[in-house]
């Protein structure tokens, strides 16, 4: 069931095992009216209303405020290897490309407002295996050690992303 189609953004509830992935699948990160690339608007039928972003007009990017994960990329990779063995996140035997999960980290260090962009090696929109996509979404949502930061003297949230690099169906790297 397609919920909305607007400005190359497709919203689809992903239902697996009787529960939905509460995120938005996007086919582009083009900005809307008076927005920056990749800004994430609140969508009441997708996003958790309890997720607090302190109503900042322009959330900074993670690199503007030294945000990110405690322990950095190495720790995220360690968490991924601990949770999954080599065969547990097979995307598709011949599939290669990138799955980017973009989200907001609140001033409390919690994650929310997830958006997923899927592209192939030629940087064209594609769709990967839904069950594997669910595993990557759950993994990202389950990460809890996001840094709390301040910007211009005030505690703030920030934009963050993880890009899963897929080569012949396997996750071979996680960026940034």
């Amino acid at each position: 069931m397609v919920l909305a189609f607007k400005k190359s953004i497709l919203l689809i509830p992903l239902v697996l095992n009787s529960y939905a992935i509460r995120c938005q699948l996007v086919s582009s990160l083009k900005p809307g009216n008076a927005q920056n690339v990749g800004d994430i608007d609140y969508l009441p039928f997708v996003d958790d209303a309890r997720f607090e972003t302190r109503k900042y007009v322009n959330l900074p990017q993670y690199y503007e405020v030294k945000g990110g994960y405690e322990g950095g990329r190495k720790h995220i990779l360690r968490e991924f290897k601990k949770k999954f063995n080599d065969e547990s996140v097979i995307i598709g035997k011949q599939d290669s490309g990138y799955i980017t999960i973009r989200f907001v980290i609140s001033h409390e260090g919690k994650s929310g407002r997830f958006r997923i962009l899927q592209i192939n090696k030629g940087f064209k929109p594609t769709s990967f295996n839904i069950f594997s996509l669910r595993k990557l979404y759950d993994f990202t949502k389950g990460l809890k050690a996001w840094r709390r930061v301040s910007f211009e003297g005030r505690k703030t949230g920030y934009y963050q992303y993880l890009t899963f690099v897929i080569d012949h169906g396997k996750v071979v790297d996680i960026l940034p």
Side-chain angles (χ1 to χ4, degrees), residues 37-171:
V37 172
D39 279 0
I40 301 174
D41 290 327
Y42 170 71
L43 297 172
F45 51 90
V46 174
D47 297 319
D48 185 348
R50 297 168 296 180
F51 181 72
E52 174 66 50
T53 59
R54 288 202 169 179
K55 315 268 187 296
Y56 286 109
V57 177
N58 293 315
L59 285 175
Q61 303 298 324
Y62 71 95
Y63 52 81
E64 294 177 283
V65 291
K66 297 185 179 163
Y69 205 70
E70 293 294 336
R73 181 173 164 266
K74 285 182 184 180
H75 192 73
I76 292 172
L77 289 168
R78 192 176 315 123
E79 293 275 327
F80 188 81
K81 288 177 183 175
K82 186 169 47 171
K83 182 164 181 133
F84 303 109
N85 61 38
D86 287 340
E87 303 301 320
S88 66
V89 185
I90 300 298
I91 306 301
K93 292 191 185 236
Q94 299 305 315
D95 289 336
S96 294
Y98 308 89
I99 298 171
T100 297
I101 303 179
R102 186 164 166 77
F103 48 99
V104 173
I105 301 300
S106 74
H107 66 282
E108 298 173 324
K110 297 179 181 174
S111 59
R113 293 195 189 169
F114 295 90
R115 304 296 184 262
I116 300 176
L117 176 67
Q118 304 169 76
I119 56 175
N120 63 23
K121 284 179 81 171
F123 302 103
K124 303 284 185 207
T126 191
S127 294
F128 291 103
N129 175 303
I130 192 71
F131 296 102
S132 298
L133 192 65
R134 176 67 201 217
K135 288 179 182 181
L136 297 179
Y137 167 79
D138 285 343
F139 170 76
T140 303
K141 189 174 180 183
L143 293 171
K144 302 295 183 202
W146 297 104
R147 291 187 187 115
R148 295 177 186 167
V149 300
S150 294
F151 186 67
E152 297 176 350
R154 295 171 47 190
K155 289 182 182 178
T156 187
Y158 55 93
Y159 287 111
Q160 181 66 51
Y161 75 92
L162 292 181
T163 295
F164 297 87
V165 180
I166 313 301
D167 188 33
H168 291 91
K170 290 188 178 184
V171 175

